[in-house]
Amino acid sequence: MSFKTNCLAAVAGLALMCGAVQAQTLRYANQGELKSLDPYTVNETTTHAHLGHPYEGLIRRGKNLEILPGLAEKWEVSTDGLTWRFFLRKGVKFHGGEDFTADDVVFSADRSRAPGSNVQTRVPTGAKVVKIDDYTVDFQLPSPNPILHYQWDTWYIMSKKWAEANNSTQPTPANATTPTFASLNANGTGAFKVESHQPGVKTVYKVNENWWNKSPEHNLKEIIFTPIASDATRVAALLSGEVDVIEPVPIQDIQRVNASGSAQVLTGPELRTIFLGMDQARDELLESSVKGKNPFKDVRVRQAFYQAIDIETIKSRVMRGLSTPSPLMIAPELFPSTGFTRAKFDSAAAKKLLVDAGYPDGFELGMDCPNDRYVNDGAICQAVVGMLARIGVKVNLNAQPKGQYFGKVLKPGGYKTSFYLLGWTPGTSDAHNVLFDIMGCRDNPASSRGESNVGGYCNKKLDALTDKILVEVDKAKRDAMIREAFQLSIDDFGYIPLHQQALAWGVSKKVKLPQRADNAVNFQYAVKE
């Protein structure tokens, strides 16, 4: 078998520029809780960031989202593109003392694709993961996949021996009502160990003195994470010095934090798209006054909902100008939206569409929304409720903490929603991820396609294009197919994209912390005075 080299050598860690700096405790608060330490329970950026402290992947992402070697020092791809060979880093130990070997990679690949996992798309369904020796693993693919490893910074490798010893060989589903050992404990290879974890209360990480990277860029001895749901309380904790970093800063408080003299707000564009989705799979909605049929199967109803949404009002009043309305389900930094336009806001036209579809008096339905995950997520949903009321649609909003929300609407919970708000950052930083994970048909149980397609939107022509996009190497041809695929969804009114929200991290002036566009708060790069 002949190979071409993809990555030849590990990148050495950079030492702190100022030499030895006294180790510090960093206190961090987020609006949402860390429900589970099982790295395969929820495919969500904030959870991945939390778990990226104790766990690591075969690759890692740098400060600018560049791909760097992680637990794999290098990798090669066969000339036919069907076999990827990863050469693992030697001398790495899990926090529990176990040696990291190929057995752990094979085990983690199987566990991540098992029922209950929410990261099943990380390793393709048809891929065979073969141990060559203790420090070499082959991924044998049924078809070429040039972006196979793009999401592997958040495909965390677990210890096979530890999982087997603690009855944790199967992933903990998001809707689990009883915690498992793996959801309450962590055993990774990363820069920080989990010393204690009280779900919804506090998680304490201690520095891993035996980390393989002997030149860490941080100077932390511990991280203390405390969820603070209240915006006012979270900001007060930052300004008083009780915590060093908060995320997010409420939009209305950005100016006050910047004027405090003790903290600042790091802002920038985020790669996440916030959108609304509709159940288009069931023959009858779970939560609706319409019986015997599903109104969302009618494109006129989907278009009516789209045109009832006043995106500029959401931008100006709810987001206070800190959002970018989007016609696409992907940020323009990852694929240009030039040539695409949003369907015009028009309540009268929306009302007429409902009349034409046979709902002259509208109808009633339920809506699910997180209230502690995205910037002003609960307020956005409240605004949508009011806008739809103008066209005769009564929406019963169920806004709840993200733990309960994800446990209900994602795959492990059975996609139990009729209408919902969700946000998505493509882990690959590529349009294929959106087309496959969010917009792909989920009608094949043997495939991971559409794993996060909560509403069950399906267009087989889009799926066929998605498969071609994956293997196309000519950028112009690939971009043309991506544009065609997105246009299909637009014509179907398959989703209602809203906007890309702005990042807003509150950071003490004693802390230096790079801000990544994927909104992952990564303390491996944090330095505190």
Side-chain angles (χ1 to χ4, degrees), residues 116-302:
S117 169
N118 192 220
V119 295
Q120 293 182 355
T121 59
R122 292 298 190 273
V123 182
T125 305
K128 295 181 180 179
V129 187
V130 180
K131 173 184 176 181
I132 304 304
D133 58 41
D134 280 348
Y135 295 99
T136 311
V137 179
D138 277 0
F139 289 77
Q140 300 171 357
L141 310 178
S143 59
N145 183 347
I147 59 173
L148 173 71
H149 62 317
Y150 276 24
Q151 294 187 86
W152 284 5
D153 59 316
T154 55
W155 170 41
Y156 296 130
I157 303 302
M158 300 181 68
S159 165
K160 178 183 179 182
K161 291 179 180 178
W162 178 82
E164 290 175 342
N166 293 289
N167 194 30
S168 295
T169 57
Q170 295 300 304
T172 309
N175 64 339
T177 56
T178 302
T180 65
F181 188 86
S183 70
L184 296 176
N185 300 272
N187 183 33
T189 59
F192 300 93
K193 303 177 180 181
V194 174
E195 180 181 73
S196 62
H197 174 60
Q198 298 170 270
V201 180
K202 184 170 70 173
T203 303
V204 178
Y205 307 87
K206 293 288 188 180
V207 69
N208 177 14
E209 301 288 356
N210 297 316
W211 192 30
W212 57 265
N213 186 347
K214 300 306 179 185
S215 300
E217 295 187 55
H218 71 84
N219 72 328
L220 307 180
K221 65 181 179 182
E222 69 177 351
I223 303 166
I224 300 176
F225 165 66
T226 306
I228 303 178
S230 166
D231 288 345
T233 304
R234 196 165 63 252
V235 171
L238 174 68
L239 297 183
S240 68
E242 183 181 346
V243 298
D244 302 298
V245 178
I246 66 170
E247 194 276 319
V249 176
I251 294 171
Q252 64 272 17
D253 290 317
I254 291 178
Q255 184 175 356
R256 181 161 70 100
V257 172
N258 282 333
S260 68
S262 61
Q264 61 183 329
V265 180
L266 303 183
T267 60
E270 188 181 7
L271 300 179
R272 184 183 318 281
T273 300
I274 305 298
F275 62 91
L276 300 173
M278 302 154 279
D279 179 1
Q280 300 164 57
R282 292 180 175 87
D283 292 329
E284 180 180 307
L285 294 178
L286 293 175
E287 302 164 341
S288 172
S289 61
V290 179
K291 303 303 178 185
K293 63 178 179 178
N294 179 347
F296 285 135
K297 287 183 178 288
D298 190 323
V299 67
R300 293 170 295 185
V301 175
R302 301 196 299 271

Side-chain angles (χ1 to χ4, degrees), residues 438-510:
I438 292 288
M439 303 168 77
C441 298
R442 63 171 206 233
D443 56 350
N444 181 2
S447 172
S448 59
R449 187 193 302 272
E451 180 183 9
S452 297
N453 180 355
V454 174
Y457 166 70
C458 183
N459 185 317
K460 290 294 186 180
K461 187 176 180 181
L462 186 149
D463 281 358
L465 280 168
T466 301
D467 292 341
K468 293 178 181 178
I469 288 164
L470 178 63
V471 298
E472 181 56 64
V473 295
D474 185 290
K475 185 178 186 304
K477 292 180 180 178
R478 191 174 193 268
D479 285 352
M481 288 190 288
I482 292 172
R483 295 186 69 85
E484 183 181 354
F486 279 131
Q487 189 62 54
L488 286 172
S489 177
I490 289 172
D491 294 342
D492 287 339
F493 291 91
Y495 288 91
I496 306 174
L498 296 178
H499 57 245
Q500 283 84 41
Q501 63 187 26
L503 296 173
W505 300 359
V507 180
S508 164
K509 290 192 173 181
K510 295 180 179 180

Side-chain angles (χ1 to χ4, degrees), residues 7-11 58 69-75 86-90:
C7 180
L8 291 176
V11 176
L58 294 183
L71 290 178
E73 290 186 306
K74 62 179 181 178
W75 50 92
F86 285 80
F87 300 89
L88 307 182
R89 194 177 296 277
K90 297 178 181 178

